[in-house]
Amino acid sequence: MKAHQRKLDIKNGCVDLSHGSGGRAMAQLISGLFHEAFGNEWLARGNDQSAFAVGAGRMVMTTDGYVVSPLFFPGGNIGSLAVHGTVNDIAMAGAKPLYLSASFIIEEGFRFADLRMIAESMGQAAREAGVHIITGDTKVVERGKADGLFISTAGVGVVPDELDLSAEKAEAGDRVLISGTLGDHGVAIMSKRQNLAFETEIVSDSASLNDLVAKMVEVGGHGIRLMRDPTRGGLAATLNEIAEQSDLGFRLQEEAIPVKPGVAAACELLGLDPLHVANEGKLVAIVSPEAAEAVLAAMRAHPLGRDAADIGEAVADDHHFVQMATSFGGGRIVDWLSGEQLPRIC
Amino acid sequence: MKAHQRKLDIKNGCVDLSHGSGGRAMAQLISGLFHEAFGNEWLARGNDQSAFAVGAGRMVMTTDGYVVSPLFFPGGNIGSLAVHGTVNDIAMAGAKPLYLSASFIIEEGFRFADLRMIAESMGQAAREAGVHIITGDTKVVERGKADGLFISTAGVGVVPDELDLSAEKAEAGDRVLISGTLGDHGVAIMSKRQNLAFETEIVSDSASLNDLVAKMVEVGGHGIRLMRDPTRGGLAATLNEIAEQSDLGFRLQEEAIPVKPGVAAACELLGLDPLHVANEGKLVAIVSPEAAEAVLAAMRAHPLGRDAADIGEAVADDHHFVQMATSFGGGRIVDWLSGEQLPRIC
């Protein structure tokens, strides 16, 4: 096809405004870089939308914008993050993620080489999660009008028959399970930004949780009331949100909450509470007491749930407080993040 | 709910970094501004994803990022544009648009009052098109790291049974129909940017075309080979793209192509070719000669197709040229936009 004959100079070239203008240069960028990285039958058709077959049932849809800074961080980059985050938002409904869309907003002067690395990470993350990036869009803005690259992904998935996870289903006595250590993603970003050096590098936990969720649903069924991924605002925001939506409170055991020593040390240094720090490969599940043990066992049997823990329970509480019994025998209220700010974490 | 008790000062307030940090401020912004404007049962549930029921069949998915500058322009703003554009990408598959997602990337300091106006335009555009904005995301970046506001919308729709529009279905002899005058959107943006004053203001054609498409499909059925909305790159890019994908060429009649006198005058002044200028409420349809008359009549009977015209035909051409017989009796090749740049038009 004539628009695609000239090759992009990926090694030395940069994105310029012509790559967003709907002309030949844009067609080259899309076919030479994005189609290469995402390669699938849908994109090859070159339509402004992509079609797929569905069976009758329930679907879910979600979207997230990614503005993480820096774009490359220990354990991933904005591309893999953009796939993991949207896959996880679908998975939290107990759904099987199927198809993603990707919208790129690129600052003039962005290096092709970086864009290709990011696109390849997206392609790889999609293949690992068993989803396809079937449609996309590319815009270019002038130098100084963006911060390198922003990506918005949206996704759809199918919900297994009769599964309807919802905060309203939570009851007093339900167990609070988390799938692993808290704070890894946020601390990896912050330590990179602050140029902190620790003996062992702190790596983002960014990962797709759909396979873990499938295993949990298999053994837990309707015993799983709801799941959430504690991203921005951390576990604290997620549990406060669930408390309000379910008209309950939570009582947590600090000792039971897994935090890596390096993350704990970095949090102390940076003045952060691990409960407020973002995670990108963790989930919290509210599970009936009857199902909790089996679900926890299924989580621990999965590579992404090895450090899963039962960290507390839902309680009747008109104030919707999230309370925590501390390691020293005292107690405190775990509130939403309010004054503190951790921007550009995802 | 406690997180939502304090009201946003929409009249005087601005977005700050806390509105993107996953805490209380973000919850307030989302419930106080976006839920107000989009208000529907899905958003009210407060999940990170939204569920809906589907019947067995084919669906389409699409996404677009919107970076238009200025954000407010004659005939619309970035919000209405973000709904129209995504609705249209779905409609071009002959599909019925159903659900949208919206991802907001906001620059610190952006005025709540402007954000509310934009959100309200989105809500209104969605209601007019019969779609629901069922899930969204909000990120805030530091001052100077974005240009006010970027929006990425994604959407899904259902395709009527057995309808499969595709460039490969086009044949030599097919007619090229357009739904109205060309260049209105791009010229409205450019004249606003250049502060051009014309006797009559040039207004963007930004509109949702799904209802027009439904009427066309009703009378045209399989006679409609494919449809596209000629946005970035204009009709020239769209027809060149179709020519390559369908292995055909096109022969157009310049006299038949409707362009408003004000738009033609502005194009001359700005050195633009109306065939390269973006449209946001127009479609081009490649239709079998047998169905063309009925489809054109259906278009003209619709408020958004009053100026519809048959502008030429598909021809066998190994070079995939888009040729045009000019008003002066000559001919020229209509090429992709290449050197010229019209950034930030959508």
Side-chain angles (χ1 to χ4, degrees), chain A residues 72-119:
Chain A
F72 294 86
F73 50 82
N77 62 51
I78 188 173
S80 49
L81 185 66
V83 171
H84 295 152
T86 291
V87 163
N88 290 346
D89 277 344
I90 296 169
M92 292 309 113
K96 178 180 160 60
L98 295 174
Y99 303 109
L100 303 189
S101 65
S103 158
F104 296 85
I105 296 173
I106 311 173
E107 185 183 5
E108 181 186 13
F110 197 75
R111 294 175 59 233
F112 284 147
D114 287 339
L115 192 58
R116 184 167 68 175
M117 253 193 287
I118 288 164

Side-chain angles (χ1 to χ4, degrees), chain B residues 28-114:
Chain B
Q28 281 169 2
L29 177 68
I30 290 171
S31 70
L33 201 147
F34 292 119
H35 288 194
E36 282 290 300
F38 304 158
N40 60 50
E41 58 194 293
W42 290 274
L43 293 175
R45 289 190 81 183
N47 288 323
D48 285 339
Q49 76 293 116
S50 284
F52 50 88
V54 291
R58 282 174 73 242
M59 295 190 77
V60 290
M61 182 175 193
T62 188
T63 192
D64 257 323
Y66 297 87
V67 299
V68 66
S69 171
L71 296 173
F72 295 86
F73 50 81
N77 61 51
I78 189 173
S80 50
L81 185 65
V83 171
H84 295 153
T86 291
V87 163
N88 290 348
D89 277 345
I90 296 170
M92 290 311 112
K96 180 180 160 59
L98 295 173
Y99 304 108
L100 303 189
S101 66
S103 159
F104 296 86
I105 296 173
I106 311 173
E107 186 184 4
E108 181 187 13
F110 198 73
R111 293 176 57 233
F112 284 147
D114 287 339

